[in-house]
Amino acid sequence: MRATITAAGDSGDKAWLAASAVPDPEIPCVTVADLGILRSVEMIDGVAVARLTPTYSGCPAVNAIELAVEAALLEAGFTPRIERVMSPAWTTDWITPEGREKLRDYGIAPPEKASGSIRSLFGEVEVACPKCGSRETERVSEFGSTACKALYRCLTCREPFDYFKCI
Ligand SMILES: [Zn+2]
């Protein structure tokens, strides 16, 4: 599943650019496009219709993201409308390769692919350290700085890091 640009000429492109640059409120190093949350931006009768699929249901960031995309479109001179698309459900597989790279640079281990992830003997996902790449890591806490992340520690370089939980 990839985000699609459903554009009616230049204005659709501009609307997509404005909306896709909105950073995630919880992880400002990545944009809503990087995370695959922004599904499409389409010009319908002069209205920029942005379709968003929330990440974790009940994540308090959902409303903040919708408001931020709406504000970005308004600022770019569009009349925005936000549509929440619940199906198909978002998965961490929608995070773009560029988004994964940005997460790693930020010190957050990007989610392992939901399909075919490596699991250790204890049924936990093996997570690679974003700093040194070691797979010798342990989970410290189910919840990191936000509910969407878990706190891990690298046993090789001793650094704690957040892991973007896989769903
Ligand atoms: Zn490490």
Side-chain angles (χ1 to χ4, degrees):
M1 260 296 184
R2 300 294 306 228
T4 48
I5 302 171
T6 320
D10 282 351
S11 57
D13 286 349
K14 281 194 195 110
W16 169 264
L17 284 176
S20 65
V22 170
D24 181 82
E26 291 189 339
I27 317 166
C29 66
V30 287
T31 67
V32 291
D34 290 331
L35 290 175
I37 297 169
L38 183 66
R39 307 307 304 152
S40 66
V41 181
E42 196 179 356
M43 294 302 296
I44 300 173
D45 297 331
V47 176
V49 180
R51 293 190 182 87
L52 292 123
T53 300
T55 52
Y56 301 80
S57 55
C59 200
V62 171
N63 286 326
I65 290 170
E66 289 178 352
L67 286 172
V69 169
E70 194 172 16
L73 286 168
L74 265 176
E75 204 165 295
F78 292 97
T79 306
R81 192 169 77 222
I82 306 297
E83 286 184 5
R84 198 180 286 188
V85 182
M86 301 303 290
S87 176
W90 181 87
T91 92
T92 42
D93 285 355
W94 290 7
I95 300 177
T96 63
E98 197 189 3
R100 286 167 195 274
E101 205 51 53
K102 286 185 194 169
L103 285 172
R104 209 174 285 120
D105 287 350
Y106 197 64
I108 299 171
E112 304 287 339
K113 284 274 184 187
S115 43
S117 61
I118 308 159
R119 289 181 186 276
S120 75
L121 285 173
F122 305 103
E124 286 175 17
V125 181
E126 239 184 56
V127 177
C129 170
K131 296 186 178 78
C132 72
S134 167
R135 284 196 170 266
E136 298 289 315
T137 59
E138 66 175 8
R139 191 172 65 191
V140 178
S141 159
E142 185 60 41
F143 296 103
S145 54
T146 72
C148 311
K149 290 182 239 118
L151 185 64
Y152 273 71
R153 179 169 50 214
C154 177
L155 300 177
T156 305
C157 72
R158 294 279 167 203
E159 287 291 322
F161 63 90
D162 275 336
Y163 170 58
F164 199 116
K165 275 193 259 177
C166 192
I167 56 166

